[in-house]
Structure formats: structure tokens, C-alpha cells
Amino acid sequence: MTEDVRFAVNLPLPGPALRDQRELVTALPDLGYADVWTGEGSGADAFTPLAAAAAWQPRLGVGAGVVPVFTRGPGVLAQTAATLANLVGPRPDGSPGRVLFGIGTSVPAHVSAINGFTFDRPVARLRDTLRFLTAALRGEPADGDYETFSIRNFPRWAPTGVKVLVGALRPRMVRLSLTEGDGFITNVLTPADLAKVLAKAGPRPDGKEIVVRLFVCATEDAEHARRAGRAFLGWITNQAPYRAFQDWLGHGDAFKRSRARYDEGDRRGAAAELPDELVDGLWIHGSPAECRRRIAEYLQEGVTSIVINVIPTPELASGRADLASILAGIHPRG
């Protein structure tokens, strides 16, 4: 049921240094947010903010989404997930802590360009890592010859309670996430697009997670919001997995001009060629009330979590608004 959807924010939040966000992170449950999440690309790593949040506020669950499967070995990924579970531990009321560990292929710009790893057979590597992690974290034997790596002498642990999710866009990865993993994380899509993804996924099996990541720029300065949106969307929608995703959704024609500029090496031009209506559909902006209305459109049957990436705004920069008020104002159940 949609009333059971958990709301989360992505860390670090904009503005103060991570070390100065303790007070706000501690207040998140009282603002209606049950979990904190991280991504991993060119900014913060996926785990340091989660460790800080778990220490600051034991009432919060934590989620990593997504961690590239190429930039850390399978064993290190398993160790990291288990350590997070050990840190989060049970909640003050005795219920189990919540650790969702999302993995994905990422893109060559992150795997190869800034980390120096070969981006080779990404789907097979993701599948093998998923199989290894689910076995290891459930306390099952995990040694073996996988298609893209071999594991020897990995210790067998007690079950950790960690759920392993997949960053999934198109049907093949969605099916993998629901049949062999504990669910999936999706993003860069409109509410209508989400309905299409959910229809292809079919009924959500019991215990599986469907997480939707949203980008929310709570400002009535539409020029600022669209400029920020274009800077991000002009890059991510031109990465191969997202090109294929938008083509599958039926939006390829809307991206043609942007893709042509990106392929010429003109990243700024690629951003500029994104139509306003496309940016507005993928990048939530407006007053807190308008953002709240837009976020609510993603509360669709099967979704278990909404993760909000709070985007910097002129109001936050000038002190005319504060993060706690913004988070309270955009929450659909606020």
C-alpha cells in the first residue's frame, strides 16, 4: 500500500560540510524521513555519510544506491555491507536495523575515466556480484567460479539482514533484481515512465523493495532550477544506459539534439539542447507545495521508498530558507 512508502533523503545534504549536518540528520525522523541514502559518482563516497548518520541517529535506516560493481572487489563490497549492518544494529525498540545495499554497473565515465578500471561485460559483472553478495550476506556458501571472477576461501558468516538491491532501468535488469536480488532502484523518469516500469515489473513479490530516486529543487526561480537540471541531465541522459532507457521509454526523439552535441564533445551544448518540458518532467522544481504535489505522483502501487536528492537553491544559499523547513514542506505527508 502506498501509505507504507518510506521517505528518505540523500546525503550529504547541500550547504554545510558533512561534519556540520549532525543536528539536521538527527532531526530527520521527526520530519517524516525514515532512511538516509547515498549515491556514488564524482562527489562523496557511498559509505562515510551512512556511517556518520548511523552513529548520529539510530532511528534511521541506511541505503547505498548505487555502488559500482567495478570499483571495489566483491569481497570488499560484502565486508562493507556487513560492517554497515553491524554499525546500524537493532533499533532502540529492538526491531532489526535496516540496511539496503544497492549495486549497479555505473558508467565508463566513473569506472574507467576517474578510477582506471576496465568497463567490461557490465551486465555479467553485475549479475555475478549480485549472486555472490546475496549468498555471502545471507550466510550461505559464496565461494565459486562466477562468469566474471572467482572467489576462494571467503568466510561464511551468520545472516546479516542486509538486502541487496540493483540499480535497474529496463526490464532485463528489473527482472534480475526481483528474481535474484531483493529489489531495485530507479531514477531519471517521470511518473508516467515509472508506471511503465512498474507494469513491466509485474506485482511486487513479498519482501522486495522498489526504490525511486527523485531530484528536487524547491525554488520558484525556474531559471535557476532548469539551469541546475540541465547541467545534470545533459550529462546523465547521454550515458549509454540512460540513452537506452529513454529510448525504451519512447523519449529518444526529444534527446536527439542533445545527443548530437554531446557526441561532438560539447557537453554544455548538450545541456542547452534539452527542451524545457523534458527538464521539467525529470527535475522537480517549484514552491515546496508544488514539489510536494509532484513527489506525490510517484506514490504508485509497488513503490516502497522515495529517496529525495535535495538540490541547492538561491533561497538556501541566501538563508531565506533552511533545509529543515524545505524537507518538511516537500514531504507529501507533511
Side-chain angles (χ1 to χ4, degrees):
M1 300 293 290
T2 57
E3 59 265 26
D4 297 326
V5 174
R6 296 169 69 97
F7 286 86
V9 296
N10 192 78
L11 298 180
L13 289 158
L18 177 62
R19 63 181 174 272
D20 296 324
Q21 294 185 10
R22 178 172 186 160
E23 182 177 353
L24 182 55
V25 169
T26 301
L28 287 173
D30 295 328
L31 296 173
Y33 296 89
D35 303 316
V36 289
W37 281 71
T38 53
E40 188 166 271
S42 58
D45 75 279
F47 305 117
T48 305
L50 298 183
W56 292 339
Q57 177 50 279
R59 293 162 59 193
L60 290 168
V62 301
V66 296
V67 181
V69 296
F70 285 105
T71 53
R72 296 176 180 85
V76 171
L77 287 172
Q79 290 170 325
T80 304
T83 303
L84 273 176
N86 184 266
L87 176 63
V88 172
R91 296 177 182 274
D93 64 2
S95 61
R98 176 179 169 89
V99 178
L100 304 184
F101 197 80
I103 58 173
T105 62
S106 190
V107 295
H110 180 62
V111 173
S112 301
I114 69 172
N115 278 294
F117 292 97
T118 302
F119 191 79
D120 182 43
R121 303 179 64 203
V123 174
R125 177 69 179 228
L126 177 63
R127 181 203 61 218
D128 290 349
T129 305
L130 175 65
R131 290 173 176 172
F132 166 76
L133 287 176
T134 52
L137 296 170
R138 291 171 184 169
E140 301 167 0
D143 279 10
D145 293 319
Y146 299 80
E147 191 174 325
T148 57
F149 54 77
S150 295
I151 301 294
R152 296 287 183 271
N153 302 317
F154 194 83
R156 187 170 178 178
W157 301 327
T160 63
V162 174
K163 288 187 173 184
V164 184
L165 278 57
V166 173
L169 300 174
R170 292 183 290 161
R172 179 182 178 187
M173 298 305 290
V174 168
R175 286 193 295 270
L176 176 69
S177 74
L178 293 174
T179 56
E180 298 199 37
D182 295 307
F184 67 92
I185 307 156
T186 191
N187 71 156
V188 191
L189 74 178
T190 67
D193 296 335
L194 175 60
K196 182 173 182 178
V197 171
L198 295 174
K200 287 293 182 181
R204 177 175 57 84
D206 288 345
K208 304 292 184 176
E209 303 280 343
I210 298 178
V211 180
V212 182
R213 181 181 290 276
L214 303 177
F215 302 92
V216 179
C217 190
T219 179
E220 295 184 69
D221 185 341
E223 182 179 350
H224 169 87
R226 288 173 178 148
R227 184 167 59 248
R230 283 192 171 87
F232 175 71
L233 295 170
W235 177 81
I236 197 168
T237 61
N238 277 297
Q239 304 307 303
Y242 286 91
R243 283 192 176 192
F245 183 43
Q246 295 299 329
D247 287 343
W248 177 74
L249 290 170
H251 303 323
D253 286 347
F255 288 92
K256 279 185 176 179
R257 292 169 66 91
S258 175
R259 291 174 179 179
R261 297 292 288 274
Y262 192 90
D263 291 343
E264 293 168 356
D266 182 3
R267 181 169 169 178
R268 181 174 296 180
E273 290 289 357
L274 295 175
D276 281 355
E277 58 269 23
L278 191 153
V279 175
D280 293 346
L282 299 175
W283 194 256
I284 295 173
H285 63 92
S287 67
E290 173 62 13
C291 292
R292 181 170 65 247
R293 183 192 68 78
R294 293 277 309 280
I295 293 167
E297 294 175 351
Y298 290 86
L299 293 175
Q300 300 180 24
E301 195 67 37
V303 172
T304 58
S305 291
I306 299 286
V307 180
I308 296 173
N309 280 54
V310 180
I311 307 302
T313 67
E315 292 87 344
L316 287 171
S318 67
R320 287 178 287 138
D322 64 89
L323 280 168
S325 297
I326 291 296
L327 289 170
I330 65 177
H331 198 300
R333 298 189 189 124

mmCIF file of all heavy atoms in Angstrom, residues 272-311:
data_model
loop_
_atom_site.group_PDB
_atom_site.id
_atom_site.type_symbol
_atom_site.label_atom_id
_atom_site.label_comp_id
_atom_site.label_asym_id
_atom_site.label_seq_id
_atom_site.Cartn_x
_atom_site.Cartn_y
_atom_site.Cartn_z
ATOM 1 N N ALA A 272 22.209 22.519 -23.045
ATOM 2 C CA ALA A 272 21.378 23.608 -23.554
ATOM 3 C C ALA A 272 20.293 23.113 -24.500
ATOM 4 O O ALA A 272 19.233 23.747 -24.620
ATOM 5 C CB ALA A 272 22.257 24.636 -24.266
ATOM 6 N N GLU A 273 20.521 21.994 -25.165
ATOM 7 C CA GLU A 273 19.565 21.486 -26.148
ATOM 8 C C GLU A 273 18.417 20.696 -25.531
ATOM 9 O O GLU A 273 17.512 20.267 -26.237
ATOM 10 C CB GLU A 273 20.286 20.610 -27.178
ATOM 11 C CG GLU A 273 21.207 21.369 -28.119
ATOM 12 C CD GLU A 273 20.461 22.235 -29.123
ATOM 13 O OE1 GLU A 273 19.210 22.204 -29.134
ATOM 14 O OE2 GLU A 273 21.120 22.953 -29.881
ATOM 15 N N LEU A 274 18.434 20.494 -24.231
ATOM 16 C CA LEU A 274 17.320 19.787 -23.598
ATOM 17 C C LEU A 274 16.104 20.717 -23.519
ATOM 18 O O LEU A 274 16.191 21.806 -22.954
ATOM 19 C CB LEU A 274 17.706 19.322 -22.197
ATOM 20 C CG LEU A 274 18.815 18.277 -22.103
ATOM 21 C CD1 LEU A 274 19.176 18.017 -20.644
ATOM 22 C CD2 LEU A 274 18.416 16.973 -22.792
ATOM 23 N N PRO A 275 14.969 20.322 -24.058
ATOM 24 C CA PRO A 275 13.779 21.181 -24.009
ATOM 25 C C PRO A 275 13.300 21.415 -22.579
ATOM 26 O O PRO A 275 13.453 20.551 -21.710
ATOM 27 C CB PRO A 275 12.735 20.382 -24.801
ATOM 28 C CG PRO A 275 13.500 19.358 -25.568
ATOM 29 C CD PRO A 275 14.726 19.057 -24.769
ATOM 30 N N ASP A 276 12.691 22.582 -22.336
ATOM 31 C CA ASP A 276 12.178 22.899 -21.007
ATOM 32 C C ASP A 276 11.234 21.823 -20.492
ATOM 33 O O ASP A 276 11.307 21.427 -19.319
ATOM 34 C CB ASP A 276 11.425 24.239 -21.028
ATOM 35 C CG ASP A 276 12.356 25.440 -21.011
ATOM 36 O OD1 ASP A 276 13.582 25.244 -20.886
ATOM 37 O OD2 ASP A 276 11.846 26.569 -21.126
ATOM 38 N N GLU A 277 10.339 21.338 -21.366
ATOM 39 C CA GLU A 277 9.342 20.378 -20.891
ATOM 40 C C GLU A 277 9.989 19.056 -20.463
ATOM 41 O O GLU A 277 9.507 18.388 -19.545
ATOM 42 C CB GLU A 277 8.273 20.128 -21.962
ATOM 43 C CG GLU A 277 8.784 19.611 -23.281
ATOM 44 C CD GLU A 277 9.116 20.730 -24.277
ATOM 45 O OE1 GLU A 277 9.360 21.875 -23.824
ATOM 46 O OE2 GLU A 277 9.118 20.453 -25.484
ATOM 47 N N LEU A 278 11.101 18.709 -21.092
ATOM 48 C CA LEU A 278 11.804 17.495 -20.699
ATOM 49 C C LEU A 278 12.472 17.692 -19.341
ATOM 50 O O LEU A 278 12.369 16.842 -18.454
ATOM 51 C CB LEU A 278 12.833 17.130 -21.771
ATOM 52 C CG LEU A 278 13.508 15.763 -21.686
ATOM 53 C CD1 LEU A 278 13.931 15.311 -23.073
ATOM 54 C CD2 LEU A 278 14.724 15.805 -20.782
ATOM 55 N N VAL A 279 13.140 18.822 -19.174
ATOM 56 C CA VAL A 279 13.783 19.127 -17.890
ATOM 57 C C VAL A 279 12.738 19.183 -16.789
ATOM 58 O O VAL A 279 12.914 18.610 -15.699
ATOM 59 C CB VAL A 279 14.564 20.450 -17.974
ATOM 60 C CG1 VAL A 279 15.140 20.828 -16.609
ATOM 61 C CG2 VAL A 279 15.682 20.348 -19.011
ATOM 62 N N ASP A 280 11.622 19.842 -17.050
ATOM 63 C CA ASP A 280 10.574 19.977 -16.043
ATOM 64 C C ASP A 280 9.995 18.621 -15.648
ATOM 65 O O ASP A 280 9.562 18.431 -14.505
ATOM 66 C CB ASP A 280 9.453 20.882 -16.560
ATOM 67 C CG ASP A 280 9.904 22.331 -16.747
ATOM 68 O OD1 ASP A 280 10.982 22.691 -16.231
ATOM 69 O OD2 ASP A 280 9.169 23.087 -17.410
ATOM 70 N N GLY A 281 9.985 17.670 -16.572
ATOM 71 C CA GLY A 281 9.438 16.361 -16.268
ATOM 72 C C GLY A 281 10.342 15.505 -15.406
ATOM 73 O O GLY A 281 9.868 14.662 -14.632
ATOM 74 N N LEU A 282 11.653 15.719 -15.535
ATOM 75 C CA LEU A 282 12.624 14.874 -14.829
ATOM 76 C C LEU A 282 13.233 15.545 -13.612
ATOM 77 O O LEU A 282 13.900 14.882 -12.810
ATOM 78 C CB LEU A 282 13.755 14.481 -15.797
ATOM 79 C CG LEU A 282 13.342 13.685 -17.027
ATOM 80 C CD1 LEU A 282 14.547 13.470 -17.939
ATOM 81 C CD2 LEU A 282 12.719 12.354 -16.647
ATOM 82 N N TRP A 283 13.018 16.835 -13.473
ATOM 83 C CA TRP A 283 13.682 17.636 -12.435
ATOM 84 C C TRP A 283 12.592 18.391 -11.698
ATOM 85 O O TRP A 283 12.067 19.393 -12.179
ATOM 86 C CB TRP A 283 14.652 18.600 -13.112
ATOM 87 C CG TRP A 283 15.665 19.277 -12.262
ATOM 88 C CD1 TRP A 283 15.637 20.575 -11.840
ATOM 89 C CD2 TRP A 283 16.888 18.732 -11.783
ATOM 90 N NE1 TRP A 283 16.759 20.874 -11.127
ATOM 91 C CE2 TRP A 283 17.565 19.751 -11.071
ATOM 92 C CE3 TRP A 283 17.496 17.478 -11.877
ATOM 93 C CZ2 TRP A 283 18.799 19.546 -10.460
ATOM 94 C CZ3 TRP A 283 18.731 17.281 -11.276
ATOM 95 C CH2 TRP A 283 19.365 18.306 -10.574
ATOM 96 N N ILE A 284 12.199 17.931 -10.534
ATOM 97 C CA ILE A 284 11.084 18.528 -9.800
ATOM 98 C C ILE A 284 11.498 19.887 -9.250
ATOM 99 O O ILE A 284 12.504 20.002 -8.557
ATOM 100 C CB ILE A 284 10.642 17.595 -8.667
ATOM 101 C CG1 ILE A 284 10.071 16.296 -9.246
ATOM 102 C CG2 ILE A 284 9.627 18.273 -7.755
ATOM 103 C CD1 ILE A 284 9.769 15.243 -8.203
ATOM 104 N N HIS A 285 10.718 20.924 -9.559
ATOM 105 C CA HIS A 285 11.023 22.248 -9.019
ATOM 106 C C HIS A 285 9.748 23.059 -8.856
ATOM 107 O O HIS A 285 8.688 22.698 -9.352
ATOM 108 C CB HIS A 285 12.061 22.981 -9.885
ATOM 109 C CG HIS A 285 11.619 23.272 -11.298
ATOM 110 N ND1 HIS A 285 11.004 24.448 -11.653
ATOM 111 C CD2 HIS A 285 11.744 22.554 -12.444
ATOM 112 C CE1 HIS A 285 10.763 24.446 -12.956
ATOM 113 N NE2 HIS A 285 11.195 23.309 -13.467
ATOM 114 N N GLY A 286 9.878 24.150 -8.117
ATOM 115 C CA GLY A 286 8.737 24.992 -7.788
ATOM 116 C C GLY A 286 8.718 25.269 -6.296
ATOM 117 O O GLY A 286 9.676 24.978 -5.580
ATOM 118 N N SER A 287 7.631 25.811 -5.816
ATOM 119 C CA SER A 287 7.479 26.055 -4.387
ATOM 120 C C SER A 287 7.484 24.721 -3.650
ATOM 121 O O SER A 287 7.239 23.665 -4.255
ATOM 122 C CB SER A 287 6.166 26.780 -4.114
ATOM 123 O OG SER A 287 5.074 25.914 -4.409
ATOM 124 N N PRO A 288 7.745 24.722 -2.334
ATOM 125 C CA PRO A 288 7.641 23.459 -1.600
ATOM 126 C C PRO A 288 6.301 22.760 -1.806
ATOM 127 O O PRO A 288 6.251 21.538 -1.948
ATOM 128 C CB PRO A 288 7.858 23.886 -0.149
ATOM 129 C CG PRO A 288 8.770 25.074 -0.254
ATOM 130 C CD PRO A 288 8.289 25.809 -1.489
ATOM 131 N N ALA A 289 5.220 23.527 -1.861
ATOM 132 C CA ALA A 289 3.905 22.924 -2.070
ATOM 133 C C ALA A 289 3.807 22.257 -3.435
ATOM 134 O O ALA A 289 3.246 21.158 -3.579
ATOM 135 C CB ALA A 289 2.804 23.969 -1.908
ATOM 136 N N GLU A 290 4.337 22.921 -4.459
ATOM 137 C CA GLU A 290 4.324 22.330 -5.802
ATOM 138 C C GLU A 290 5.211 21.088 -5.855
ATOM 139 O O GLU A 290 4.852 20.072 -6.460
ATOM 140 C CB GLU A 290 4.784 23.362 -6.838
ATOM 141 C CG GLU A 290 4.977 22.824 -8.248
ATOM 142 C CD GLU A 290 3.708 22.272 -8.885
ATOM 143 O OE1 GLU A 290 2.604 22.510 -8.348
ATOM 144 O OE2 GLU A 290 3.827 21.592 -9.919
ATOM 145 N N CYS A 291 6.377 21.145 -5.224
ATOM 146 C CA CYS A 291 7.249 19.967 -5.167
ATOM 147 C C CYS A 291 6.564 18.819 -4.442
ATOM 148 O O CYS A 291 6.658 17.656 -4.865
ATOM 149 C CB CYS A 291 8.567 20.313 -4.486
ATOM 150 S SG CYS A 291 9.623 21.441 -5.416
ATOM 151 N N ARG A 292 5.862 19.143 -3.374
ATOM 152 C CA ARG A 292 5.139 18.113 -2.618
ATOM 153 C C ARG A 292 4.103 17.433 -3.509
ATOM 154 O O ARG A 292 3.963 16.200 -3.504
ATOM 155 C CB ARG A 292 4.476 18.743 -1.397
ATOM 156 C CG ARG A 292 3.717 17.759 -0.532
ATOM 157 C CD ARG A 292 3.296 18.394 0.794
ATOM 158 N NE ARG A 292 2.342 19.465 0.628
ATOM 159 C CZ ARG A 292 2.591 20.751 0.896
ATOM 160 N NH1 ARG A 292 3.776 21.132 1.348
ATOM 161 N NH2 ARG A 292 1.649 21.660 0.722
ATOM 162 N N ARG A 293 3.387 18.219 -4.297
ATOM 163 C CA ARG A 293 2.391 17.648 -5.211
ATOM 164 C C ARG A 293 3.055 16.752 -6.241
ATOM 165 O O ARG A 293 2.560 15.647 -6.543
ATOM 166 C CB ARG A 293 1.628 18.778 -5.912
ATOM 167 C CG ARG A 293 0.521 18.281 -6.844
ATOM 168 C CD ARG A 293 -0.012 19.381 -7.720
ATOM 169 N NE ARG A 293 0.971 19.837 -8.696
ATOM 170 C CZ ARG A 293 1.261 19.178 -9.820
ATOM 171 N NH1 ARG A 293 0.660 18.034 -10.102
ATOM 172 N NH2 ARG A 293 2.155 19.661 -10.662
ATOM 173 N N ARG A 294 4.184 17.193 -6.790
ATOM 174 C CA ARG A 294 4.885 16.415 -7.818
ATOM 175 C C ARG A 294 5.440 15.115 -7.243
ATOM 176 O O ARG A 294 5.371 14.054 -7.870
ATOM 177 C CB ARG A 294 6.027 17.245 -8.411
ATOM 178 C CG ARG A 294 5.601 18.467 -9.224
ATOM 179 C CD ARG A 294 5.244 18.101 -10.647
ATOM 180 N NE ARG A 294 6.280 17.321 -11.294
ATOM 181 C CZ ARG A 294 7.412 17.830 -11.845
ATOM 182 N NH1 ARG A 294 7.629 19.144 -11.802
ATOM 183 N NH2 ARG A 294 8.287 17.034 -12.429
ATOM 184 N N ILE A 295 6.000 15.181 -6.047
ATOM 185 C CA ILE A 295 6.554 13.971 -5.424
ATOM 186 C C ILE A 295 5.452 12.943 -5.203
ATOM 187 O O ILE A 295 5.644 11.739 -5.413
ATOM 188 C CB ILE A 295 7.260 14.324 -4.099
ATOM 189 C CG1 ILE A 295 8.510 15.168 -4.375
ATOM 190 C CG2 ILE A 295 7.643 13.063 -3.326
ATOM 191 C CD1 ILE A 295 9.095 15.818 -3.135
ATOM 192 N N ALA A 296 4.271 13.414 -4.799
ATOM 193 C CA ALA A 296 3.163 12.506 -4.520
ATOM 194 C C ALA A 296 2.753 11.701 -5.749
ATOM 195 O O ALA A 296 2.195 10.602 -5.617
ATOM 196 C CB ALA A 296 1.965 13.291 -3.982
ATOM 197 N N GLU A 297 3.036 12.197 -6.942
ATOM 198 C CA GLU A 297 2.688 11.475 -8.169
ATOM 199 C C GLU A 297 3.486 10.185 -8.321
ATOM 200 O O GLU A 297 3.117 9.304 -9.105
ATOM 201 C CB GLU A 297 2.905 12.376 -9.383
ATOM 202 C CG GLU A 297 1.951 13.569 -9.435
ATOM 203 C CD GLU A 297 2.258 14.506 -10.587
ATOM 204 O OE1 GLU A 297 3.307 14.329 -11.247
ATOM 205 O OE2 GLU A 297 1.447 15.410 -10.832
ATOM 206 N N TYR A 298 4.573 10.067 -7.566
ATOM 207 C CA TYR A 298 5.395 8.855 -7.634
ATOM 208 C C TYR A 298 4.979 7.817 -6.590
ATOM 209 O O TYR A 298 5.572 6.734 -6.526
ATOM 210 C CB TYR A 298 6.867 9.216 -7.433
ATOM 211 C CG TYR A 298 7.468 9.987 -8.593
ATOM 212 C CD1 TYR A 298 7.355 11.379 -8.656
ATOM 213 C CD2 TYR A 298 8.144 9.343 -9.614
ATOM 214 C CE1 TYR A 298 7.893 12.096 -9.710
ATOM 215 C CE2 TYR A 298 8.691 10.049 -10.674
ATOM 216 C CZ TYR A 298 8.559 11.427 -10.721
ATOM 217 O OH TYR A 298 9.104 12.134 -11.781
ATOM 218 N N LEU A 299 3.977 8.125 -5.799
ATOM 219 C CA LEU A 299 3.498 7.172 -4.790
ATOM 220 C C LEU A 299 2.571 6.160 -5.462
ATOM 221 O O LEU A 299 1.355 6.152 -5.272
ATOM 222 C CB LEU A 299 2.785 7.911 -3.663
ATOM 223 C CG LEU A 299 3.665 8.816 -2.803
ATOM 224 C CD1 LEU A 299 2.812 9.583 -1.801
ATOM 225 C CD2 LEU A 299 4.715 7.997 -2.074
ATOM 226 N N GLN A 300 3.170 5.296 -6.266
ATOM 227 C CA GLN A 300 2.415 4.333 -7.059
ATOM 228 C C GLN A 300 2.500 2.940 -6.439
ATOM 229 O O GLN A 300 3.437 2.633 -5.703
ATOM 230 C CB GLN A 300 2.940 4.343 -8.496
ATOM 231 C CG GLN A 300 2.803 5.700 -9.165
ATOM 232 C CD GLN A 300 3.327 5.735 -10.589
ATOM 233 O OE1 GLN A 300 3.407 4.713 -11.267
ATOM 234 N NE2 GLN A 300 3.694 6.926 -11.059
ATOM 235 N N GLU A 301 1.522 2.124 -6.742
ATOM 236 C CA GLU A 301 1.438 0.783 -6.167
ATOM 237 C C GLU A 301 2.709 -0.011 -6.456
ATOM 238 O O GLU A 301 3.133 -0.124 -7.610
ATOM 239 C CB GLU A 301 0.231 0.040 -6.732
ATOM 240 C CG GLU A 301 -0.142 -1.199 -5.957
ATOM 241 C CD GLU A 301 -0.651 -0.879 -4.557
ATOM 242 O OE1 GLU A 301 -1.345 0.134 -4.395
ATOM 243 O OE2 GLU A 301 -0.328 -1.652 -3.642
ATOM 244 N N GLY A 302 3.330 -0.545 -5.410
ATOM 245 C CA GLY A 302 4.557 -1.316 -5.543
ATOM 246 C C GLY A 302 5.779 -0.582 -5.039
ATOM 247 O O GLY A 302 6.752 -1.209 -4.618
ATOM 248 N N VAL A 303 5.759 0.751 -5.086
ATOM 249 C CA VAL A 303 6.900 1.534 -4.615
ATOM 250 C C VAL A 303 6.999 1.409 -3.095
ATOM 251 O O VAL A 303 6.006 1.544 -2.374
ATOM 252 C CB VAL A 303 6.747 3.014 -5.025
ATOM 253 C CG1 VAL A 303 7.825 3.879 -4.371
ATOM 254 C CG2 VAL A 303 6.809 3.140 -6.540
ATOM 255 N N THR A 304 8.227 1.165 -2.599
ATOM 256 C CA THR A 304 8.423 1.034 -1.151
ATOM 257 C C THR A 304 9.184 2.210 -0.550
ATOM 258 O O THR A 304 9.081 2.448 0.650
ATOM 259 C CB THR A 304 9.175 -0.261 -0.824
ATOM 260 O OG1 THR A 304 10.443 -0.266 -1.501
ATOM 261 C CG2 THR A 304 8.369 -1.487 -1.253
ATOM 262 N N SER A 305 9.978 2.912 -1.360
ATOM 263 C CA SER A 305 10.762 4.043 -0.837
ATOM 264 C C SER A 305 10.876 5.133 -1.890
ATOM 265 O O SER A 305 11.031 4.846 -3.084
ATOM 266 C CB SER A 305 12.175 3.612 -0.440
ATOM 267 O OG SER A 305 12.182 2.772 0.683
ATOM 268 N N ILE A 306 10.816 6.369 -1.424
ATOM 269 C CA ILE A 306 11.125 7.548 -2.244
ATOM 270 C C ILE A 306 12.352 8.210 -1.634
ATOM 271 O O ILE A 306 12.337 8.586 -0.455
ATOM 272 C CB ILE A 306 9.961 8.556 -2.253
ATOM 273 C CG1 ILE A 306 8.687 7.938 -2.849
ATOM 274 C CG2 ILE A 306 10.369 9.828 -2.986
ATOM 275 C CD1 ILE A 306 8.699 7.754 -4.337
ATOM 276 N N VAL A 307 13.411 8.333 -2.427
ATOM 277 C CA VAL A 307 14.648 8.974 -1.974
ATOM 278 C C VAL A 307 14.750 10.336 -2.640
ATOM 279 O O VAL A 307 14.719 10.436 -3.873
ATOM 280 C CB VAL A 307 15.888 8.131 -2.326
ATOM 281 C CG1 VAL A 307 17.153 8.828 -1.838
ATOM 282 C CG2 VAL A 307 15.776 6.733 -1.727
ATOM 283 N N ILE A 308 14.885 11.377 -1.845
ATOM 284 C CA ILE A 308 14.902 12.746 -2.364
ATOM 285 C C ILE A 308 16.315 13.306 -2.328
ATOM 286 O O ILE A 308 16.940 13.385 -1.265
ATOM 287 C CB ILE A 308 13.954 13.644 -1.547
ATOM 288 C CG1 ILE A 308 12.505 13.148 -1.725
ATOM 289 C CG2 ILE A 308 14.088 15.108 -1.956
ATOM 290 C CD1 ILE A 308 11.501 13.856 -0.847
ATOM 291 N N ASN A 309 16.806 13.665 -3.503
ATOM 292 C CA ASN A 309 18.048 14.423 -3.613
ATOM 293 C C ASN A 309 17.689 15.905 -3.557
ATOM 294 O O ASN A 309 17.042 16.422 -4.482
ATOM 295 C CB ASN A 309 18.758 14.136 -4.937
ATOM 296 C CG ASN A 309 19.540 12.853 -4.923
ATOM 297 O OD1 ASN A 309 18.994 11.807 -4.616
ATOM 298 N ND2 ASN A 309 20.816 12.923 -5.262
ATOM 299 N N VAL A 310 18.068 16.577 -2.491
ATOM 300 C CA VAL A 310 17.753 17.999 -2.350
ATOM 301 C C VAL A 310 18.806 18.804 -3.115
ATOM 302 O O VAL A 310 20.007 18.690 -2.856
ATOM 303 C CB VAL A 310 17.736 18.424 -0.876
ATOM 304 C CG1 VAL A 310 17.419 19.905 -0.752
ATOM 305 C CG2 VAL A 310 16.721 17.588 -0.094
ATOM 306 N N ILE A 311 18.347 19.616 -4.049
ATOM 307 C CA ILE A 311 19.232 20.403 -4.907
ATOM 308 C C ILE A 311 19.394 21.811 -4.323
ATOM 309 O O ILE A 311 18.421 22.407 -3.858
ATOM 310 C CB ILE A 311 18.652 20.486 -6.337
ATOM 311 C CG1 ILE A 311 18.355 19.073 -6.873
ATOM 312 C CG2 ILE A 311 19.607 21.229 -7.267
ATOM 313 C CD1 ILE A 311 19.544 18.140 -6.910
#
